[in-house]
Amino acid sequence: MATITGPLSGDAKNTVAEALQGALVDLIDLSLVAKQAHWNLIGPHFRPIHLQLDELTDLARTHMDAIAERAVAVGVNPDGRSTTVAKSTKLQQLESGWLEDGKVVATITDLLDGVSKRMHERVRATDEPDPVTQDLLIAVAQDIDKQHWMFQAQS
Amino acid sequence: MATITGPLSGDAKNTVAEALQGALVDLIDLSLVAKQAHWNLIGPHFRPIHLQLDELTDLARTHMDAIAERAVAVGVNPDGRSTTVAKSTKLQQLESGWLEDGKVVATITDLLDGVSKRMHERVRATDEPDPVTQDLLIAVAQDIDKQHWMFQAQS
Amino acid sequence: MATITGPLSGDAKNTVAEALQGALVDLIDLSLVAKQAHWNLIGPHFRPIHLQLDELTDLARTHMDAIAERAVAVGVNPDGRSTTVAKSTKLQQLESGWLEDGKVVATITDLLDGVSKRMHERVRATDEPDPVTQDLLIAVAQDIDKQHWMFQAQS
Amino acid sequence: MATITGPLSGDAKNTVAEALQGALVDLIDLSLVAKQAHWNLIGPHFRPIHLQLDELTDLARTHMDAIAERAVAVGVNPDGRSTTVAKSTKLQQLESGWLEDGKVVATITDLLDGVSKRMHERVRATDEPDPVTQDLLIAVAQDIDKQHWMFQAQS
Amino acid sequence: MATITGPLSGDAKNTVAEALQGALVDLIDLSLVAKQAHWNLIGPHFRPIHLQLDELTDLARTHMDAIAERAVAVGVNPDGRSTTVAKSTKLQQLESGWLEDGKVVATITDLLDGVSKRMHERVRATDEPDPVTQDLLIAVAQDIDKQHWMFQAQS
Amino acid sequence: MATITGPLSGDAKNTVAEALQGALVDLIDLSLVAKQAHWNLIGPHFRPIHLQLDELTDLARTHMDAIAERAVAVGVNPDGRSTTVAKSTKLQQLESGWLEDGKVVATITDLLDGVSKRMHERVRATDEPDPVTQDLLIAVAQDIDKQHWMFQAQS
Amino acid sequence: MATITGPLSGDAKNTVAEALQGALVDLIDLSLVAKQAHWNLIGPHFRPIHLQLDELTDLARTHMDAIAERAVAVGVNPDGRSTTVAKSTKLQQLESGWLEDGKVVATITDLLDGVSKRMHERVRATDEPDPVTQDLLIAVAQDIDKQHWMFQAQS
Amino acid sequence: MATITGPLSGDAKNTVAEALQGALVDLIDLSLVAKQAHWNLIGPHFRPIHLQLDELTDLARTHMDAIAERAVAVGVNPDGRSTTVAKSTKLQQLESGWLEDGKVVATITDLLDGVSKRMHERVRATDEPDPVTQDLLIAVAQDIDKQHWMFQAQS
Amino acid sequence: MATITGPLSGDAKNTVAEALQGALVDLIDLSLVAKQAHWNLIGPHFRPIHLQLDELTDLARTHMDAIAERAVAVGVNPDGRSTTVAKSTKLQQLESGWLEDGKVVATITDLLDGVSKRMHERVRATDEPDPVTQDLLIAVAQDIDKQHWMFQAQS
Amino acid sequence: MATITGPLSGDAKNTVAEALQGALVDLIDLSLVAKQAHWNLIGPHFRPIHLQLDELTDLARTHMDAIAERAVAVGVNPDGRSTTVAKSTKLQQLESGWLEDGKVVATITDLLDGVSKRMHERVRATDEPDPVTQDLLIAVAQDIDKQHWMFQAQS
Amino acid sequence: MATITGPLSGDAKNTVAEALQGALVDLIDLSLVAKQAHWNLIGPHFRPIHLQLDELTDLARTHMDAIAERAVAVGVNPDGRSTTVAKSTKLQQLESGWLEDGKVVATITDLLDGVSKRMHERVRATDEPDPVTQDLLIAVAQDIDKQHWMFQAQS
Amino acid sequence: MATITGPLSGDAKNTVAEALQGALVDLIDLSLVAKQAHWNLIGPHFRPIHLQLDELTDLARTHMDAIAERAVAVGVNPDGRSTTVAKSTKLQQLESGWLEDGKVVATITDLLDGVSKRMHERVRATDEPDPVTQDLLIAVAQDIDKQHWMFQAQS
């Protein structure tokens, strides 16, 4: 059975593994939360927010793949199973049922604020052990910060 | 606050709601399981299976959106949150860590067998109350049956 | 002079002819109403509603062609002339002049509610005589129900 | 409630309004007539005429949007409702039922002759009050004249 | 050696197998007949019929693949070998040599009439045992009926 | 050193030169103002206005190139340097800092009203000396009038 | 045998016919001259001029089609046969054999100067009798003037 | 009735006719054999072989059209009817039922070996009588030889 | 001044030069004749022939460029000026004025017969001196023969 | 009224704000300078430099948007108004009137040298406070350095 | 003669020059090795590995261009000549002749391991002297690490 | 282990093998030489030559793949390793360091002259043993001769 080895080992590998797994859970749950709001949204601003939530899901899906594949490339198993995500997610969860547009904007803004903070920490944490991983996390942070601004701007 | 009303009511609506929510959870978890296997796969057949698993994720994502939006259109709230998925999924879960190609093919085959059976039941159940919903479930079942054959064919 | 014959005859053909002609008038007038609102719209939600009304026209145009061509294929003459549409339409008509966004959303929601109800009846009516025609009407109903939800959600 | 003001006023505005509303009705009814013939056509030249009629509908739809939006831009309400079109159209109407290819070519040729004449009048009429509107009408006239030639050439 | 199992068994499976194999032979031979006429056609209506015959081949090829893959997905072996097609085809065969346009239109019209009738029978036959298969056959019937109308319209 | 000569001379050339340089400054500053608002916008209508402002920048950029290249083609040097624009612009300037959506709509509406008026004057002024230049200015005026309507409609 | 009639007659038709036939010969010969230079060019500036000459051919071909089809649409026969072009062209002819880049630039500049002058005259001449034709000639003049500038700029 | 004459006659025409008809039957049956294997394939290498067989069908279809149209262009009737193909094919036929991947690779390799040999003979045979036909056969042989290598390489 | 040298010299070069210049004149005049007929065509088969004539112009233009550039590449000056074409063309010339569809088909068929014969002679003539040039002429002959068949088939 | 907060505060925010505003002014004025030269350019190297200057404008426009949106995302107001640009630009300004190609290359080379130096300083300055901003500035510097080389290479 | 100067000098320039030249040789030889294996590959896993090797060549080619152009931009001459590559490459060389799939996977895995290690060293080495160069090397390392994982996964 | 057999044997195979291996080395080294010049080029004609060298690399890469795959298809191992290329190339090598534009044009012209001569020899050599291989070499020679002319034309 194959053993995947990568360019890291020891503490560097552990630090990077932790950062990538944390980012993966953030991004998978973000994609699910955004879809949940995309579907259950109501209110006079329905259409622009409905469309923007889909952009959010799209970017979360694109980044989750890059992040998980970086994990494998450094020899670490990404864990994106539903149970793992449900147990370890740090995202504020949405209520069931219809979601009013104003509340969705506020909740997504808060939630992106949290994701942004954690991504910036991961950017700092991986600078020394693996600038290649860091570069992927920077790309995630750029997009998250931009979405954070856009949701905030309409609240 | 808006109230979404659709073309159904009473028992018809309840039957359709149950079928759609069940299909939604199947499809979301299928997309996560397929990605998990896509990332952690090893073995001499790595590349073709890695690619086919991505096709599986893509079709699961496309259908989940159609299914959830049909739910809203008939006035029912779809629930695709990670906790809901983790709690109510009927899919056989993958182990953590590296996944050998032969085992992945076998597991995905079994899992698609279950999804196929449940989709066919939902197709039968919605025939009477809502042929419009049934039509969407038939499209899901076609793709699931096709994937089921393809994974089976290489086992 | 050619005589177009198709797979139906007798009562089956009459039922199908009536369903298709009814759907055709609904869709042609829907395309005209949506354009009328697209042009005369005013109000703070102008842009998203302006764009969504164009999507509505587009789907009405796509479906009207499929519906009319099904009529010909079963040997029935579709009638989509302006006088016929004006005389037989069941759609709630818009006032002339500027149309405020809130009122447009309310009117289009009501109007789609009516179209949806008639389409579902046609789906039921054609199940026995011609499942091929029914399948086209189901596709229309799916899109109408989805638009109905979306206009309703922002009201 | 918003008031749309544009670059014209007084007589200039009235002249332009009349030209645009006339062109709009011509183009909407042309799109409906061409579709009606596209669907009910029979005869040995079926295919090339069937396809050309669709090109006619496409260009009528494209121009009607430009014309109506110019109306709004000069502060005038375009009226494209089915009743208005049915009442005010100047186009020769098609009979119901199957339409032989030779007759369709002759009728469309006549009908385009009339549209062409009215468009050239509108081009003259708007030269002084609004060259911007005139430019749009010139584009319509170019396409109408070209279609007129092509239908004429095959009669 | 792999065994492909699907969602059907017993009589349901047999009925579906027969419908799919019949449809497959119809579609393969239709693609060959249309190409034969596409190549050997002569007459003043050469170009439009030459092009339309290619559309017929294209749609026959697209549907044959969907039909055969549905067969495999329900655990049945499709048989599309030349000998099988030659032996079991029910399509009226073309003469060798040059084919005059009028005769081609008449022959293809007749031939599509037969295919249409058999497809509608298969749609009825599969309604109970497998609505997923039926849905594919409905799509075939829609396209066949449309082509039947178009060839008929120019005869 | 090359001397660029064109089809105009004397007064005609001077009139055209003035019209083109005026249009150029209007369009360059419009592209900058629209971007400034695109970036600093806040308010509940953020997303649709943010997107529309980008369309405004795009069309300003497309037209400025056509206008400046017409100037060169008639042998006149266009001047689009930042200092020239800053000194000679007639556009109402935005305040620095965050810009509320309602105020942005009002300001852009006013500003487009002014640009429209000046463009229509240039259309009149160039009619006699150079219909080729006039045609480009008409195209600018059409787009400006359309944007003017759309911003006005949502105020 | 069909007779093509259009929106013009008498003197207006004659003036327009002459303008269109003159423009047609200019554009056909321009496309041939530009290709001749494109093929036989030599010199250190070979590549940019070789490419620009192809752009010149492309635009000449595009405009010649529009011009000739306008002629037919007004009921006039365009004459683009090689003998007619050779006999009536007013373009300065290239020598046979290799053509040095500097000389090509100078010759094409002169030749475009002539075409530009004649097009502007045609624009003036058609203003009264047919603004629809004039609009097409304006489009030609815009492109010719632009090419004239570009060749001039590099001489 | 039209008589198609081409650039050949006598022995040259007969030789070319025979080569083209032989190539046509090879290519039609190759397209059917490849589809049959594409559908009924099983085994651990399912996916890459399934996809490659579709490429084989695609190239067989593309070449069969070029070959048959060359036949018509030289005044010869191509015969691609199912009975003709079944009777005159020289391809090794597949068994009915499931086909194991290793056996498919071996059979297709053998079969392409035969097609390649016959195509090379046809290339030689047409060199003298018609280099234009030969050029098309060379293009077929290139693709067949390449597919032959690729199937051989994985056996 | 640059001297272009290529892979040929002496008799070989002369033979190739003659073949290429002859082909160039054929192709340029073919493109002009086809356009002339495309514009002046009348008759009940107008549309399909109008479109096919444009395909003929397109392929003549594509091949003329390849042929002329091969001439330069072997160090020979192609001559595609209008006077040269008018003087040396061997194509049957069209009458001025309206051209009936049946006559156009007959004339183009004859004319393509002549071009085909000359191209086949050039293919033979260049076989020995330059197979690279021959290959380009074979490509021309393939397309000419195909067009010859298609026009012939509809006569 | 919304307040945009981002991931930075205090000195870090100030440093980043200054770097981004400086980069924004550099890029906006670069886009205007490049267009000014694109339009007023003359000389034998006209075409390649004309085209390259447009690439320069394109990349300046793409980067200015990314830079300004990063500013907003960190809670800082970008200022891209014409007056601000005119007052604070550090780019060497072009003279009015025609610009000879050699001089344009020299001036743009110098100007890009300055922009490059300032961008590298900003890259250094933002390394500590915000690696996410730094990453965007690195992308700008890469493109600026590349353009600097290309202009330099042809001087 | 032009002198290319860039943003670096002294030790920084030397360090960066060495890193870029080393990366260039790695990437050029990687593109050649991958093609060599792509062509000479045999074994049951032929197709997926054949395709993946082409992806490897593609990415090596894309990165080599970016790396070499960065070298020029900092004023250093990249050396990618065959002799230089042959002499200085550090890649494990393939044997001549047929290459079995298992061995290819193993060799490419080893070889990518080496390239990855050297790229990571270059990333570290350029962090201080030139973060702009470092950013390009990080992009190379990301792709190399990903390919390394994928080849490893199937061994 | 697979043995690749093809349509050739004995002397024919040896002749073809030698021609293909020679062409392969020519093309690989041409792609490397062209890139080397593309990167290190300086001089006032920088941009057009820089771009043309990239076209040269592109066509060399496209042809090298076709040539090497033909070798495999006839059962011969192509050898494209860097050492083989460096040892056996017949291309004139470039000096290291900056390369002035005039010198690059002269060197590439000479070098293409040599490649052209060798390709024409290979075309002659393979005529008898394998016209399929010859056809690929003719395509290479066409492109090489065309590039040879273009570089020569600007020297």
Side-chain angles (χ1 to χ4, degrees), chain C residues 45-58:
Chain C
H45 296 285
F46 170 80
R47 189 178 150 95
I49 298 175
H50 180 74
L51 294 175
Q52 190 167 350
L53 287 162
D54 237 12
E55 286 179 20
L56 195 53
T57 296
D58 282 353

PDB file of all heavy atoms in Angstrom, chain C residues 45-58:
ATOM      1  N   HIS C  45     -35.865  48.892  -6.058  1.00  0.00           N
ATOM      2  CA  HIS C  45     -35.386  47.546  -6.398  1.00  0.00           C
ATOM      3  C   HIS C  45     -35.340  47.339  -7.904  1.00  0.00           C
ATOM      4  O   HIS C  45     -35.381  46.207  -8.382  1.00  0.00           O
ATOM      5  CB  HIS C  45     -36.300  46.496  -5.740  1.00  0.00           C
ATOM      6  CG  HIS C  45     -36.245  46.548  -4.247  1.00  0.00           C
ATOM      7  ND1 HIS C  45     -35.183  46.053  -3.533  1.00  0.00           N
ATOM      8  CD2 HIS C  45     -37.100  47.063  -3.322  1.00  0.00           C
ATOM      9  CE1 HIS C  45     -35.392  46.248  -2.247  1.00  0.00           C
ATOM     10  NE2 HIS C  45     -36.538  46.864  -2.082  1.00  0.00           N
ATOM     11  N   PHE C  46     -35.271  48.456  -8.654  1.00  0.00           N
ATOM     12  CA  PHE C  46     -35.335  48.402 -10.111  1.00  0.00           C
ATOM     13  C   PHE C  46     -34.465  47.320 -10.746  1.00  0.00           C
ATOM     14  O   PHE C  46     -34.944  46.478 -11.497  1.00  0.00           O
ATOM     15  CB  PHE C  46     -34.942  49.771 -10.691  1.00  0.00           C
ATOM     16  CG  PHE C  46     -34.752  49.755 -12.178  1.00  0.00           C
ATOM     17  CD1 PHE C  46     -35.848  49.810 -13.025  1.00  0.00           C
ATOM     18  CD2 PHE C  46     -33.480  49.653 -12.746  1.00  0.00           C
ATOM     19  CE1 PHE C  46     -35.680  49.778 -14.405  1.00  0.00           C
ATOM     20  CE2 PHE C  46     -33.308  49.620 -14.126  1.00  0.00           C
ATOM     21  CZ  PHE C  46     -34.406  49.681 -14.948  1.00  0.00           C
ATOM     22  N   ARG C  47     -33.171  47.365 -10.486  1.00  0.00           N
ATOM     23  CA  ARG C  47     -32.239  46.520 -11.244  1.00  0.00           C
ATOM     24  C   ARG C  47     -32.468  45.011 -11.076  1.00  0.00           C
ATOM     25  O   ARG C  47     -32.590  44.294 -12.063  1.00  0.00           O
ATOM     26  CB  ARG C  47     -30.796  46.881 -10.888  1.00  0.00           C
ATOM     27  CG  ARG C  47     -29.799  46.189 -11.813  1.00  0.00           C
ATOM     28  CD  ARG C  47     -28.372  46.607 -11.468  1.00  0.00           C
ATOM     29  NE  ARG C  47     -27.479  45.537 -11.789  1.00  0.00           N
ATOM     30  CZ  ARG C  47     -26.810  45.436 -12.943  1.00  0.00           C
ATOM     31  NH1 ARG C  47     -26.911  46.368 -13.833  1.00  0.00           N
ATOM     32  NH2 ARG C  47     -26.017  44.409 -13.171  1.00  0.00           N
ATOM     33  N   PRO C  48     -32.523  44.462  -9.855  1.00  0.00           N
ATOM     34  CA  PRO C  48     -32.734  43.007  -9.758  1.00  0.00           C
ATOM     35  C   PRO C  48     -34.055  42.558 -10.370  1.00  0.00           C
ATOM     36  O   PRO C  48     -34.114  41.485 -10.977  1.00  0.00           O
ATOM     37  CB  PRO C  48     -32.675  42.736  -8.248  1.00  0.00           C
ATOM     38  CG  PRO C  48     -32.670  44.052  -7.571  1.00  0.00           C
ATOM     39  CD  PRO C  48     -32.248  45.077  -8.539  1.00  0.00           C
ATOM     40  N   ILE C  49     -35.109  43.353 -10.235  1.00  0.00           N
ATOM     41  CA  ILE C  49     -36.406  42.935 -10.791  1.00  0.00           C
ATOM     42  C   ILE C  49     -36.392  43.074 -12.313  1.00  0.00           C
ATOM     43  O   ILE C  49     -36.897  42.206 -13.030  1.00  0.00           O
ATOM     44  CB  ILE C  49     -37.552  43.769 -10.168  1.00  0.00           C
ATOM     45  CG1 ILE C  49     -37.582  43.512  -8.647  1.00  0.00           C
ATOM     46  CG2 ILE C  49     -38.901  43.394 -10.781  1.00  0.00           C
ATOM     47  CD1 ILE C  49     -38.580  44.371  -7.886  1.00  0.00           C
ATOM     48  N   HIS C  50     -35.795  44.156 -12.806  1.00  0.00           N
ATOM     49  CA  HIS C  50     -35.612  44.367 -14.245  1.00  0.00           C
ATOM     50  C   HIS C  50     -34.923  43.142 -14.873  1.00  0.00           C
ATOM     51  O   HIS C  50     -35.344  42.638 -15.916  1.00  0.00           O
ATOM     52  CB  HIS C  50     -34.771  45.639 -14.428  1.00  0.00           C
ATOM     53  CG  HIS C  50     -34.463  46.027 -15.832  1.00  0.00           C
ATOM     54  ND1 HIS C  50     -35.387  46.574 -16.682  1.00  0.00           N
ATOM     55  CD2 HIS C  50     -33.305  45.970 -16.540  1.00  0.00           C
ATOM     56  CE1 HIS C  50     -34.809  46.837 -17.857  1.00  0.00           C
ATOM     57  NE2 HIS C  50     -33.544  46.471 -17.794  1.00  0.00           N
ATOM     58  N   LEU C  51     -33.886  42.650 -14.230  1.00  0.00           N
ATOM     59  CA  LEU C  51     -33.150  41.498 -14.765  1.00  0.00           C
ATOM     60  C   LEU C  51     -33.963  40.210 -14.667  1.00  0.00           C
ATOM     61  O   LEU C  51     -33.975  39.380 -15.568  1.00  0.00           O
ATOM     62  CB  LEU C  51     -31.818  41.321 -14.031  1.00  0.00           C
ATOM     63  CG  LEU C  51     -30.796  42.448 -14.241  1.00  0.00           C
ATOM     64  CD1 LEU C  51     -29.560  42.226 -13.362  1.00  0.00           C
ATOM     65  CD2 LEU C  51     -30.373  42.524 -15.703  1.00  0.00           C
ATOM     66  N   GLN C  52     -34.653  40.041 -13.522  1.00  0.00           N
ATOM     67  CA  GLN C  52     -35.416  38.800 -13.349  1.00  0.00           C
ATOM     68  C   GLN C  52     -36.573  38.722 -14.342  1.00  0.00           C
ATOM     69  O   GLN C  52     -36.919  37.641 -14.819  1.00  0.00           O
ATOM     70  CB  GLN C  52     -35.934  38.707 -11.910  1.00  0.00           C
ATOM     71  CG  GLN C  52     -36.518  37.331 -11.623  1.00  0.00           C
ATOM     72  CD  GLN C  52     -36.744  37.087 -10.151  1.00  0.00           C
ATOM     73  OE1 GLN C  52     -36.293  37.878  -9.324  1.00  0.00           O
ATOM     74  NE2 GLN C  52     -37.437  36.014  -9.825  1.00  0.00           N
ATOM     75  N   LEU C  53     -37.167  39.870 -14.664  1.00  0.00           N
ATOM     76  CA  LEU C  53     -38.261  39.874 -15.640  1.00  0.00           C
ATOM     77  C   LEU C  53     -37.769  39.437 -17.023  1.00  0.00           C
ATOM     78  O   LEU C  53     -38.510  38.824 -17.792  1.00  0.00           O
ATOM     79  CB  LEU C  53     -38.892  41.276 -15.710  1.00  0.00           C
ATOM     80  CG  LEU C  53     -39.752  41.641 -14.496  1.00  0.00           C
ATOM     81  CD1 LEU C  53     -39.971  43.159 -14.432  1.00  0.00           C
ATOM     82  CD2 LEU C  53     -41.102  40.926 -14.518  1.00  0.00           C
ATOM     83  N   ASP C  54     -36.514  39.741 -17.315  1.00  0.00           N
ATOM     84  CA  ASP C  54     -35.959  39.297 -18.595  1.00  0.00           C
ATOM     85  C   ASP C  54     -35.751  37.782 -18.614  1.00  0.00           C
ATOM     86  O   ASP C  54     -35.957  37.137 -19.644  1.00  0.00           O
ATOM     87  CB  ASP C  54     -34.648  40.023 -18.881  1.00  0.00           C
ATOM     88  CG  ASP C  54     -34.718  40.771 -20.214  1.00  0.00           C
ATOM     89  OD1 ASP C  54     -35.841  40.892 -20.747  1.00  0.00           O
ATOM     90  OD2 ASP C  54     -33.697  41.238 -20.705  1.00  0.00           O
ATOM     91  N   GLU C  55     -35.341  37.234 -17.484  1.00  0.00           N
ATOM     92  CA  GLU C  55     -35.250  35.773 -17.393  1.00  0.00           C
ATOM     93  C   GLU C  55     -36.628  35.138 -17.613  1.00  0.00           C
ATOM     94  O   GLU C  55     -36.741  34.075 -18.212  1.00  0.00           O
ATOM     95  CB  GLU C  55     -34.731  35.352 -16.017  1.00  0.00           C
ATOM     96  CG  GLU C  55     -33.256  35.603 -15.819  1.00  0.00           C
ATOM     97  CD  GLU C  55     -32.805  35.193 -14.430  1.00  0.00           C
ATOM     98  OE1 GLU C  55     -33.513  34.384 -13.779  1.00  0.00           O
ATOM     99  OE2 GLU C  55     -31.762  35.693 -13.985  1.00  0.00           O
ATOM    100  N   LEU C  56     -37.637  35.789 -17.079  1.00  0.00           N
ATOM    101  CA  LEU C  56     -38.999  35.282 -17.221  1.00  0.00           C
ATOM    102  C   LEU C  56     -39.410  35.284 -18.706  1.00  0.00           C
ATOM    103  O   LEU C  56     -39.975  34.308 -19.217  1.00  0.00           O
ATOM    104  CB  LEU C  56     -39.948  36.152 -16.395  1.00  0.00           C
ATOM    105  CG  LEU C  56     -41.352  35.628 -16.105  1.00  0.00           C
ATOM    106  CD1 LEU C  56     -41.315  34.238 -15.494  1.00  0.00           C
ATOM    107  CD2 LEU C  56     -42.089  36.577 -15.158  1.00  0.00           C
ATOM    108  N   THR C  57     -39.132  36.373 -19.397  1.00  0.00           N
ATOM    109  CA  THR C  57     -39.422  36.430 -20.830  1.00  0.00           C
ATOM    110  C   THR C  57     -38.669  35.340 -21.576  1.00  0.00           C
ATOM    111  O   THR C  57     -39.224  34.653 -22.442  1.00  0.00           O
ATOM    112  CB  THR C  57     -39.028  37.812 -21.406  1.00  0.00           C
ATOM    113  OG1 THR C  57     -39.837  38.801 -20.789  1.00  0.00           O
ATOM    114  CG2 THR C  57     -39.247  37.862 -22.912  1.00  0.00           C
ATOM    115  N   ASP C  58     -37.401  35.174 -21.247  1.00  0.00           N
ATOM    116  CA  ASP C  58     -36.596  34.164 -21.929  1.00  0.00           C
ATOM    117  C   ASP C  58     -37.182  32.767 -21.771  1.00  0.00           C
ATOM    118  O   ASP C  58     -37.285  32.011 -22.730  1.00  0.00           O
ATOM    119  CB  ASP C  58     -35.156  34.166 -21.389  1.00  0.00           C
ATOM    120  CG  ASP C  58     -34.346  35.300 -21.970  1.00  0.00           C
ATOM    121  OD1 ASP C  58     -34.848  35.990 -22.869  1.00  0.00           O
ATOM    122  OD2 ASP C  58     -33.207  35.514 -21.509  1.00  0.00           O
TER     123      ASP C  58
END
